Amino acid sequence: MRSSSRTALCTLAIVATATLLALCFNQWRPTPLAWVRTEAFVPAPAPAPAQPSPQAPSTAAPETPTSPAAEAPTPAPAEDQTPPHAEPAPAMQSPAPMMENAPQTEPAEAQTTPEAPVSDASQQPQEAAQAAPPETPVAQETASAQAEEPAAALSVADALQLHLSGQAVFLDARDPDTYAQGHIPGALCVPPTELDRLWPQIAPHIEGKTVVTYCDGELCPLSEELAEALRARGVSTVLVFVNGWSLWQDEHLPTTTGLNP
Amino acid sequence: MSALSAYRYLRYFLAVVLIAAVPHKLLDPAGFALAIARYDLVPTAAVNAIALVLPWLEALLAILLVCDVLIGPALWLANLLFAGFATSIAIAMARGIDIDCGCFTTGTTGSMLFALVRDVIFLVAGIILALIYARVIAPSRAVTPAETSEESDPGESKPEDAPATAQDPEAPSAS
């Protein structure tokens, strides 16, 4: 046998052995991971912000879940990566199958904001869910869980509204270098790891205001971490602008460069 | 340092690196899958499979490196892995995605640049090891009687290892 083909064969054998070991180990685990992932990673935040954009953006994020619960007609695939201006119903449906399919893997991600910052945020959608009975019992179960999430997730329109109103302070959770290269005007650079150090400086800024945290990428954990840390410090109204920097740039909204003002 | 001792220490070094990367991936496949997904490079359907196989592959390679068994293929794979990691991190950095690299721990947000530099060092070590193996170790082993007796065709055994091992250093540059 040629040695090059022998090397290739051995390489394949190593990979096959690793796969076999992984297969056995995964079966042995109490909660095996599905080998082929059928549901998307992003829980509610990605599709959720799509909802308010066709409507008047003046209403805050908490409003968003009402219509899906009321309408909820068409089932959407779990991996539905809805474009920002898609039909509202599929956009909001997508979290539901996700929640039922992956209860043990992703809820930690999905419900990192169990305590909705705005008090009426979770009540409103729940009322709506009860008023308009969902089509399946599963949908009913997930409706309440689903309702909590978008409460903390912002659409671009909402974020812009908050930004223009001056009621909100934007906190950029990315690292200072990236922040310096470009950020939402007026945003303060607060990486989650630096919060303790920066707290005395930012505390006066955010007092009595809504705090909006953002970073970049739908799966970026930094804004969520920062929001959690802020809530732990007793900041009541913290909203997460998921994928904020990309969405902000996509809309060609003004940006600034440089370090903290 | 002689080539032989360099060969040994580099093998141990890479084995330790690979083993160190295993536990968190093995214990938290879901978390590691998420870390992979954050790179936004592989299709969502493939993420779990990668997250499940990768730690075992790394562990297996570490064992092969320590035991000095199937070093050619093992180095080929290890360099492919390191090159793949480095490329992924570089692509993520170029796209401005600021994520946890998922290399040795999950959940921490270290510097991407540090992860990249670290990975390139591993890759360089792997390439040097592959070169030493191809130039020094493999030829010396090819002529030992113990090796040749195991070959299917003794007449072909001597030139056999040369092209095979010459491939090793090429692997990372190709990917």
Side-chain angles (χ1 to χ4, degrees):
Chain A
M1 196 197 291
R2 297 270 318 158
S3 74
S4 54
S5 53
R6 196 182 62 177
T7 308
L9 218 65
C10 290
T11 310
L12 278 177
I14 295 171
V15 176
T17 315
T19 313
L20 205 68
L21 285 167
L23 203 68
C24 297
F25 180 72
N26 193 40
Q27 284 304 312
W28 173 77
R29 290 178 71 233
T31 53
L33 203 62
W35 276 79
V36 178
R37 175 171 280 272
T38 48
E39 69 273 15
F41 268 96
V42 193
Q51 170 63 17
S53 35
Q55 300 176 346
S58 58
T59 54
E63 285 284 343
T64 59
T66 53
S67 62
E71 297 174 8
T74 51
E79 291 182 36
D80 187 11
Q81 295 291 332
T82 334
H85 298 287
E87 286 288 311
M92 294 308 300
Q93 268 297 91
S94 51
M98 235 178 288
M99 297 299 292
E100 63 186 279
N101 286 346
Q104 70 273 65
T105 50
E106 296 319 317
E109 288 291 318
Q111 305 203 14
T112 39
T113 61
E115 289 161 17
V118 189
S119 59
D120 62 338
S122 53
Q123 291 168 5
Q124 239 175 357
Q126 273 169 0
E127 285 168 14
Q130 285 159 7
E135 295 186 333
T136 60
V138 180
Q140 193 163 17
E141 282 172 27
T142 52
S144 58
Q146 173 189 345
E148 287 177 7
E149 289 165 33
L154 279 179
S155 70
V156 189
D158 296 334
L160 182 61
Q161 188 74 23
L162 280 166
H163 191 263
L164 292 174
S165 71
Q167 298 166 357
V169 177
F170 281 65
L171 298 185
D172 191 317
R174 299 169 304 161
D175 65 286
D177 288 343
T178 324
Y179 171 88
Q181 285 165 20
H183 55 263
I184 296 176
L188 303 172
C189 177
V190 188
T193 49
E194 299 281 292
L195 180 62
D196 289 339
R197 190 175 62 81
L198 294 170
W199 178 250
Q201 296 166 41
I202 60 165
H205 286 97
I206 63 178
E207 198 172 337
K209 292 196 174 181
T210 305
V211 177
V212 178
T213 66
Y214 72 92
C215 54
D216 193 16
E218 287 174 349
L219 294 161
C220 170
L222 296 170
S223 52
E224 197 60 62
E225 285 171 19
L226 181 60
E228 282 298 311
L230 286 168
R231 286 185 197 115
R233 284 186 172 271
V235 182
S236 53
T237 48
V238 186
L239 302 172
V240 179
F241 184 16
V242 177
N243 198 12
W245 177 239
S246 294
L247 293 174
W248 191 268
Q249 282 187 309
D250 289 348
E251 298 292 326
H252 304 291
L253 295 167
T255 60
T256 325
T257 56
L259 293 168
N260 263 348
Chain B
M1 196 193 291
S2 75
L4 213 61
S5 57
Y7 174 69
R8 182 194 294 158
Y9 290 128
L10 278 176
R11 271 193 301 121
Y12 292 164
F13 170 68
L14 285 186
V16 166
V17 165
L18 286 168
I19 276 290
V22 166
H24 83 277
K25 295 172 186 167
L26 221 50
L27 294 175
D28 183 17
F32 182 49
L34 186 64
I36 298 174
R38 288 198 169 116
Y39 279 95
D40 203 12
L41 284 175
V42 288
T44 312
V47 162
N48 278 11
I50 294 175
L52 286 166
V53 173
L54 207 56
W56 286 104
L57 189 60
E58 287 175 334
L60 214 59
L61 290 179
I63 293 169
L64 292 179
L65 283 172
V66 168
C67 300
D68 204 356
V69 179
L70 292 178
I71 286 291
L75 278 175
W76 206 95
L77 270 173
N79 283 340
L80 205 67
L81 279 187
F82 288 135
F85 295 157
T87 314
S88 310
I89 297 171
I91 290 174
M93 280 178 73
R95 291 154 106 193
I97 310 176
D98 190 18
I99 44 172
D100 159 37
C101 99
C103 313
F104 294 97
T105 52
T106 39
T108 55
T109 47
S111 158
M112 293 283 280
L113 187 66
F114 173 70
L116 181 63
V117 170
R118 189 176 55 184
D119 215 72
V120 169
I121 291 172
F122 298 156
L123 180 58
V124 169
I127 292 172
I128 292 173
L129 189 51
L131 282 174
I132 294 177
Y133 178 72
R135 298 279 159 81
V136 184
I137 310 294
S140 71
R141 283 184 190 177
V143 292
T144 55
E147 285 284 314
T148 48
S149 64
E150 284 175 11
E151 303 294 341
S152 54
D153 186 356
E156 219 177 273
S157 64
K158 189 167 181 181
E160 209 170 36
D161 274 334
T165 49
Q167 269 189 345
D168 295 338
E170 282 168 23
S173 59
S175 56

